[in-house]
Amino acid sequence: MNIALACGGTGGHLFPGLATAEVLKRRGHHVELWVAGKDIEAPALKAWSGSVHTVPAEGLPHGFSPRTLRAIWTLWRASNVCAVQMKQPAPAVLLGMGCYASVGPTLAAKRLGIPVV
């Protein structure tokens, strides 16, 4: 099965995502990671031998500010970028680890009719 796994941005989302991806790979599934592309992710991703997609995303700040509008715009744009990239080949399912880096892939998967966990 082709599985997309959206994680990253922080170690609290990336490391559980990588552990889950490794188990799924050992069980014979093709797993693609969708991460935020932050510097903190690079050392952990060195051990990953599968596909990695970088999602242009950022977290929402506390309270409302101009940065909030920029973050919303970035997440919306991320969903569009992910929708294009997810079509070839489309995953059977997307597992989102709950971080801001999973927002774009999750919205894209929903738009494309891909089940989201």
Side-chain angles (χ1 to χ4, degrees), residues 34-110:
W34 294 72
V35 300
K38 303 295 181 191
D39 292 340
I40 194 167
E41 298 167 338
L45 290 172
K46 285 183 182 179
W48 176 251
S49 62
S51 299
V52 177
H53 299 271
T54 301
V55 177
E58 63 181 87
L60 293 171
H62 296 286
F64 186 80
S65 70
R67 185 169 168 246
T68 305
L69 296 175
R70 187 183 76 205
I72 291 169
W73 170 254
T74 302
L75 292 171
W76 178 80
R77 188 179 52 157
S79 72
N80 291 331
V81 169
C82 292
V84 170
Q85 292 179 2
M86 262 188 210
K87 290 180 182 177
Q88 299 293 329
V93 64
L94 175 113
L95 171 59
M97 300 304 287
C99 57
Y100 65 85
S102 69
V103 173
T106 298
L107 293 174
K110 289 208 169 269

